[in-house]
Amino acid sequence: MIKKFFQIAPQNTNASLALLLLRLLFGIAFVLHGWGKIQAPFNWMPPDAPVPGILQFLAAFSEFGGGIAIILGLLTSLAALGLAFTMAVAAGMHMFVMKDPFVNTTGGSSYELAAIYFAISILFIVIGPGKFSVDRYLFKHR
């Protein structure tokens, strides 16, 4: 069951190159988003934030560590699952707690980016990392 979760579906070279490009950009973005958080993983939010320290740690770890894993294509489905949960919570915080719009035309806060990151995470869970990944060597499709 676990091996099947990580197994790589066969894909053509063009699709795998596109997934590699998306993995690199997506992963770098998360490493950069997570870098500041991982410096103080249990309290990177303001003291009055309604999010407990353990959840702040999980978000910091999923962003920084998940970004590295996505770049490498290592345990991609698991990393993407962590990022999907993190982005679902982030989008929910912006939508329901902060009452932000999907896109803020005045340049303020919105949940657009969290929603896009959530969708890309789901894509990696469903499609996988492509053949240019460490996962391909660890969990070959037979």
Side-chain angles (χ1 to χ4, degrees):
M1 171 86 177
I2 291 175
K3 189 170 182 175
K4 187 173 181 166
F5 181 69
F6 293 110
Q7 221 168 35
I8 304 301
Q11 292 160 343
N12 68 39
T13 301
N14 288 340
S16 289
L17 284 171
L19 286 169
L20 174 62
L21 175 64
L22 185 60
R23 272 195 2 251
L24 292 174
L25 293 173
F26 185 69
I28 289 168
F30 271 107
V31 167
L32 294 173
H33 278 286
W35 175 249
K37 295 171 186 163
I38 207 74
Q39 303 304 308
F42 291 94
N43 60 352
W44 54 267
M45 292 179 127
D48 60 339
V51 180
I54 188 68
L55 295 181
Q56 291 181 51
F57 167 77
L58 290 173
F61 181 76
S62 72
E63 288 185 16
F64 185 73
I68 292 170
I70 294 285
I71 289 168
L72 297 172
L74 174 65
L75 303 176
T76 307
S77 297
L78 183 61
L81 183 63
L83 290 169
F85 278 115
T86 302
M87 292 301 101
V89 170
M93 290 287 287
H94 280 278
M95 273 192 283
F96 302 116
V97 176
M98 299 165 68
K99 307 279 192 235
D100 289 334
F102 178 64
V103 175
N104 191 327
T105 57
T106 62
S109 187
S110 71
Y111 65 93
E112 169 190 15
L113 190 58
I116 290 169
Y117 283 157
F118 173 79
I120 294 170
S121 297
I122 298 301
L123 178 124
F124 284 125
I125 292 168
V126 173
I127 295 179
K131 60 181 165 180
F132 304 115
S133 65
V134 174
D135 283 348
R136 178 175 186 224
Y137 297 100
L138 296 177
F139 309 103
K140 289 183 180 173
H141 181 75
R142 303 198 191 280

